[in-house]
Amino acid sequence: MTTRPLLRPFDLGAVRVDDASVFARTRDELLHLARVYPVDRLLAVFRRNAGLDTRGAAAPGNWEDFGHPNEAAWSEGDYPGREHAQTANLLRGHYAGHFLSMLALSAAGEHDPALRAKVDEFVAGLGEVQAALAATGRYSHPGFLAAYGEWQFSRLEDSAPYGEIWAPYYTCHKIMAGLLDAYELTANAQALAIATAMGHWVHHRLSRLDFERRQRMWSLYIAGEFGGMNETLARLSAAADEPLFLATAAFFDQENVLEAGAARTDILTDMHANQHLPQLIGYMEQYERTGDRRYLDAVVGIWDQIVPGRVYAHGGTGESELWGPPETVAGDVGHRNAETCASYNLLKLARKLFGHTRDPRYMDYYERTVLNHILGSRRAAGSTAHTRDVSPEVTYMFPVHPGALREYDNVGTCCGGTGLENHVKYQDTIYFQEPDGLYVNLPFDSALDWEEAGLRVRLRSDYPLGEHLALRFEARDGTEPAATERTIHLRVPSWVNGKPELRLNGSPTGVDAVPGEYAALTRVWRPGDELRLDTPAALRAEPMLDDPRQCALFLGPTLLLARSELTTPLSFPLAGRLLSDGGRIERTATELLDELARDGTVELDGVVFEPCWSGQDTKYHMYVRSHESAIAFGGNENDLPAVAIEILGEPAPSGWYTSAPRVRLHGRVDAPDAESGDRLHLELRIGEGDWTPYTEPVAIASEGVHRIEARVTDAAGRIGTADREISIDTAPPASRATVKELGLSWEITLHAADEVSGVERIQWEGPGTFWGTFQEAFVRAIGDEPQVIEYAATDRAGNEEPRRRLVIPGKDGSR
C-alpha cells in the first residue's frame, strides 16, 4: 500500500529564482562549474579502477583521488589484508556521484541542452566502466560499479573498522543517486539500466547475510555509514517497476534507530549525525512506498530530538560530526560545529515531512537554514578564475564558536559533494501544490509556471531585505486560465513582527495573517490579481536554549554575525534593551535593512555585523554574550558604594590573556552623606573561592575562564558589587604524530591537545609543501633520502608550541 504526500513539489524547470535574488549568486557560480568541469576528470577514478584509459585526466583530488599506486581492484575474496594492502582515498567515486546529480539538477532547472548532453556523456562513461568490470568475471555480480574493488564490502561484512575501509555503501549510494537523478530529471534510460544492475548487485550481497549481521554492519562508526541507500532503492523500485528493490531497501533498516524514534527515546548523543540523517530520508521514501506508519513515526520522533534542541542559530547541527546531549546548544559548541552535509540532509527531510503533514514548523526550519547556512556556505568573493573552474568553494564545517572562520574549497569531500547540489536547486521548495491549491512556502523572489491553473505566478519580496511580499498572477502564453476555485496558502514567516495585513488587489481580505502559520484565500484566480502581505521585520535576540546569556541576533530572517578577531565570547549590551517578552530589541528594522542593503553590513553599538549568508572570509561570532559594562563602576543605584574591576595586562588579539594578569579594585562612594572613601572595605573572590580582603593587585596564575567578583562595604554597612569574566591560557598546546607503515609510504596523522582554550590548528611542512594548516591524515611516499616533517600546534588563545620534527626514513632505512 502506497501513501502519497498531501503536497507535491513542482518540477525544477517550472520555477525560476530571479537573477536579482541573493540566491542567484551561488546558483550561477555552481552552474558555471557544472558547465566547465571536464567529465573525463570525474570518470578518471572509475576508469583507472576498471583498467580503462583515463585519457590523461587528473582525478578531482582530495578524497576523490586515484588511491595508492600499489592498490589493486581486489575482488571480494583476494584482498591481501590490511597488513599487506596499500590503500588510500577509499571513498573515491562519491564526489562524482554528487557531480552527476548536480548536472542533472542543473539541466532540468535551466532547460539547458548542453548540460543534458553532459549528463549523457557522464552516464555513458559509467556504463563503459560497469561493462568492463563485469567482463573480468572477478566480481560477485555483473552489476558491480565502483572506483575501487569489491573487497571493502566483504570486509564490512566482517566488521572491518573505519580506517581499514571507508563507508563503501555511502559511496554506492552517491553513484546510484546520481544515476537516478539522471533518469528522473533528464530521462536518460541508460542511467536507469546501470542503476538497476547495481540494485541487483546490492540485493545479491545483502540477501546472503542474516539480520543480526546487517545490524552489526550498520552500527559501525563511519565504516557502516550507508548514506541514503534505502532512499535510493525505494526510488529505484518505482522507477524500474521492481518490487525486489523495496525489499532490498529494508535490508538497511536500523532497528535501534527505528524503535527509538517511534518510542521517542533519545539515543542520539555521540552518534554520527550525517551517518544517520540520510537514512531518515530513506525511511520517508519507504513509508511512501509501503504505507508502514512505523517509518514516519520514527522520523518525526527523531526530528523532534534534533530541532530545536540540537540546532545552532543558522540551522546546523553537531560538533565534530557528532550529536551532543539533548537540549544542549551552548554546551556543545566546539571547534568543528555544523557539518554542511547535515544541513543538506535536514532540509531534504524537512520538505518531506512538510509534504506529508503541512506543519509550518518544517518550513520555518527550512527557511532559516537554506538562507543562513546553505547560502552562506558558498564563498562570495575571492574566487579566482582558476578556483571557480575546479572547486565548489563551499564549507565543510560552518562553525559557531567565538572567532570562527569559514574555510572554503572542499573539492572531493562529502560536503564538497553535497555543496555541488545545494546551490542549483533553490527553487525546489518555494512552491508546493495540491489538486485544488498552491502552497507558497518561501518568500524568495521567483516565478512559477502553474500549468494546472493556466497561470504564471510572480513573487516579489526583495528577500531577505524587504518588508513586503507580493504575488502577482499572469496569463500563460497561449493558455486560458482555468475557471476553477483554488486556494492560495501563503506562509507568513515566523520572523514577521506584529500582525500583518493580507490584501487582495489593494483591499483587505479579512484573513488572519499569523506569523508562523499559513494564510489561506480561495477564489477563481485571474490574470492581474495581486495578493500582498506586509512583512515588517525586527531586530531580535534569540537566546541559546541552555544559556540565555548567549544570544544570536536576527534582522528579520537574517542571522547577523559579529565581526571580531576575539576567540573569547563577545560581550554585547542586550540587557535593558529587551522587551518584556525577552525576545526583541527595542529598535525598528527598516533603517537597518537599508544600511545592510547599501553597505553589506550594519553597525550596532560599535560592533560591525554581516549577514550569515554573506559568504565572506572574515572571523565572526555567531553568538554574543549579554553583558553590560564590566569595567565601569557598577552597583551605584540608591547611593550604594561602587566598585570597579581593572585587569592589569593586555590580552592577546584572541581576547585571552597569554601571560598571568593582575586584578586591581577601585572603590568609590557618591552618597552625599557618606563618610570618606578611605573607610571603604574592598573584597575579592575568584571563581568559587572564598571572599578575601583586597589590599593590593592580585595575580591570577591559574588557567581557564574565571569569574571575578568584587564587593565594597562603606562605613554604614552598605554594599556594592561588580563582576567580570576573564580567560587565561599561558601555555601552548602539545602535539604528537602517529605513523602507519603502508609498505612504500607512511601515513601520518597529527594530533594536538589543549585543555584550556582548545586547539585552533596544527600546521606542518615538508619537502614540496609549505607551512600550512592540514587537518586530514596525509601520506608521504618513501624516497631515496630521509624526509623531515616539521609541525606545531596553536591554541585558540594564540599560544604556539615550538616546532617539532619527524624524520621519515629513506629507502635504505637511513634517518
Side-chain angles (χ1 to χ4, degrees), residues 390-638:
V390 298
S391 171
E393 293 275 53
V394 295
T395 58
Y396 192 119
M397 300 294 179
F398 196 139
V400 307
H401 62 270
L405 182 68
R406 281 168 281 196
E407 296 181 0
Y408 303 99
D409 190 16
N410 286 296
V411 171
T413 68
C414 56
C415 292
T418 53
L420 294 170
E421 299 178 42
N422 277 332
H423 306 285
V424 296
K425 60 184 182 75
Y426 285 120
Q427 72 269 41
D428 70 352
T429 307
I430 300 174
Y431 308 95
F432 277 7
Q433 61 181 317
E434 58 185 358
D436 61 352
L438 176 71
Y439 276 72
V440 182
N441 301 318
L442 303 170
F444 301 170
D445 292 81
S446 58
L448 164 69
D449 184 7
W450 191 8
E451 183 178 354
E452 291 79 0
L455 293 166
R456 285 185 62 81
V457 182
R458 295 191 180 276
L459 192 161
R460 294 292 177 268
S461 65
D462 295 326
Y463 183 87
L465 303 176
E467 292 186 279
H468 71 277
L469 183 158
L471 285 176
R472 185 169 181 82
F473 298 84
E474 303 172 355
R476 294 177 74 236
D477 292 341
T479 302
E480 184 69 23
T484 305
E485 283 194 342
R486 284 181 167 84
T487 302
I488 302 296
H489 302 265
L490 177 62
R491 177 173 159 270
V492 183
S494 57
W495 49 264
V496 168
N497 183 30
K499 189 171 177 58
E501 185 176 50
L502 184 67
R503 303 176 74 88
L504 175 65
N505 300 329
S507 300
T509 62
V511 174
D512 282 343
V514 180
E517 298 182 7
Y518 281 79
L521 186 62
T522 303
R523 63 183 266 114
V524 176
W525 297 92
R526 297 181 175 86
D529 284 344
E530 183 178 79
L531 193 60
R532 184 181 179 92
L533 176 72
D534 292 329
T535 57
L539 181 67
R540 70 187 193 279
E542 183 177 283
M544 281 180 154
L545 288 173
D546 51 330
D547 186 356
R549 296 176 304 161
Q550 298 192 65
C551 296
L553 293 187
F554 284 84
L555 179 57
T558 296
L559 171 61
L560 296 175
L561 305 177
R563 289 182 174 178
S564 173
E565 296 284 325
L566 294 176
T567 61
T568 53
L570 179 66
S571 294
F572 189 79
L574 297 175
R577 301 172 64 199
L578 299 178
L579 296 180
S580 58
D581 64 4
R584 299 184 185 279
I585 300 177
E586 291 180 330
R587 184 174 179 183
T588 59
T590 302
E591 62 182 358
L592 291 176
L593 289 168
D594 290 343
E595 183 180 342
L596 189 59
R598 182 184 67 247
D599 302 334
T601 59
V602 294
E603 184 172 327
L604 300 167
D605 291 286
V607 177
V608 174
F609 289 83
E610 69 181 57
C612 192
W613 43 264
S614 65
Q616 297 297 326
D617 292 289
T618 48
K619 285 192 172 183
Y620 62 84
H621 290 238
M622 190 170 290
Y623 297 94
V624 294
R625 176 167 291 181
S626 178
H627 200 291
E628 295 310 294
S629 175
I631 300 175
F633 279 92
N636 202 26
E637 298 177 359
N638 302 320

Side-chain angles (χ1 to χ4, degrees), residues 113-456:
L115 287 170
R116 187 179 295 268
K118 202 163 187 176
V119 170
D120 294 343
E121 178 189 0
F122 198 164
V123 170
L126 290 175
E128 291 172 1
V129 169
Q130 189 180 53
L133 293 172
T136 67
R138 298 181 60 237
Y139 304 105
S140 68
H141 188 281
F144 175 69
L145 174 61
Y148 45 74
E150 197 175 4
W151 64 275
Q152 283 204 71
F153 297 91
S154 58
R155 290 297 300 130
L156 173 62
E157 292 164 11
D158 290 333
S159 300
Y162 170 54
E164 181 180 0
I165 64 173
W166 190 353
Y169 278 107
Y170 175 94
T171 304
C172 183
H173 165 242
K174 304 311 174 189
I175 299 167
M176 292 184 72
L179 289 164
L180 270 180
D181 287 339
Y183 170 69
E184 293 174 349
L185 297 172
T186 73
N188 185 295
Q190 186 182 12
L192 178 60
I194 298 169
T196 299
M198 291 183 73
H200 284 294
W201 167 77
V202 173
H203 183 84
H204 174 75
R205 283 218 70 91
L206 294 181
S207 62
R208 302 181 299 182
L209 309 179
D210 60 34
F211 172 82
E212 287 74 18
R213 195 170 188 181
R214 291 195 300 265
Q215 294 303 298
R216 186 165 60 251
M217 289 162 56
W218 310 145
S219 69
L220 294 172
Y221 173 73
I222 292 185
E225 183 176 358
F226 57 76
M229 280 299 301
N230 52 349
E231 176 202 8
T232 294
L233 286 161
R235 288 171 59 195
L236 184 61
S237 71
D241 193 20
E242 175 53 84
L244 177 71
F245 294 144
L246 198 53
T248 312
F251 289 159
F252 291 91
D253 287 356
Q254 193 168 350
E255 286 301 315
N256 67 318
V257 174
L258 285 166
E259 292 172 3
R264 296 185 172 266
T265 301
D266 196 313
I267 62 168
L268 300 186
T269 301
D270 293 331
M271 289 178 69
H272 188 281
N274 205 54
Q275 180 165 347
H276 298 286
L277 283 171
Q279 77 187 76
L280 303 182
I281 303 166
Y283 293 152
M284 292 299 297
E285 286 285 345
Q286 289 169 272
Y287 169 61
E288 292 176 7
R289 310 296 176 191
T290 67
D292 187 344
R293 179 79 188 192
R294 176 180 74 141
Y295 290 120
L296 177 62
D297 291 343
V299 173
V300 173
I302 292 173
W303 174 277
D304 290 342
Q305 296 169 21
I306 301 169
V307 183
R310 288 181 167 97
V311 169
Y312 303 103
H314 61 348
T317 188
E319 155 59 17
S320 293
E321 305 186 14
L322 306 179
W323 278 308
E327 302 300 316
T328 302
V329 179
D332 201 40
V333 171
H335 300 113
R336 301 189 71 240
N337 286 106
E339 183 184 9
T340 304
C341 276
S343 289
Y344 160 91
N345 282 307
L346 279 168
L347 289 176
K348 293 179 74 172
L349 191 59
R351 72 194 297 267
K352 279 279 191 186
L353 287 168
F354 177 73
H356 281 278
T357 66
R358 298 195 188 101
D359 190 333
R361 66 187 175 122
Y362 297 117
M363 282 299 113
D364 286 345
Y365 173 82
Y366 198 102
E367 181 192 354
R368 171 185 294 235
T369 306
V370 76
L371 174 67
N372 293 295
H373 190 161
I374 298 304
L375 179 58
S377 70
R378 207 283 171 184
R379 185 195 297 270
S383 298
T384 65
H386 171 68
T387 57
R388 71 190 294 258
D389 287 356
V390 298
S391 171
E393 293 275 53
V394 295
T395 58
Y396 192 119
M397 300 294 179
F398 196 139
V400 307
H401 62 270
L405 182 68
R406 281 168 281 196
E407 296 181 0
Y408 303 99
D409 190 16
N410 286 296
V411 171
T413 68
C414 56
C415 292
T418 53
L420 294 170
E421 299 178 42
N422 277 332
H423 306 285
V424 296
K425 60 184 182 75
Y426 285 120
Q427 72 269 41
D428 70 352
T429 307
I430 300 174
Y431 308 95
F432 277 7
Q433 61 181 317
E434 58 185 358
D436 61 352
L438 176 71
Y439 276 72
V440 182
N441 301 318
L442 303 170
F444 301 170
D445 292 81
S446 58
L448 164 69
D449 184 7
W450 191 8
E451 183 178 354
E452 291 79 0
L455 293 166
R456 285 185 62 81

Side-chain angles (χ1 to χ4, degrees), residues 719-756:
I719 298 175
T721 62
D723 67 84
R724 68 176 300 179
E725 188 176 88
I726 63 169
S727 304
I728 304 170
D729 186 354
T730 62
S735 64
R736 62 184 177 88
T738 58
V739 296
K740 175 183 175 182
E741 187 174 2
L742 299 177
L744 297 179
S745 61
W746 294 87
E747 181 183 82
I748 302 168
T749 306
L750 300 178
H751 313 265
D754 187 284
E755 299 297 328
V756 185

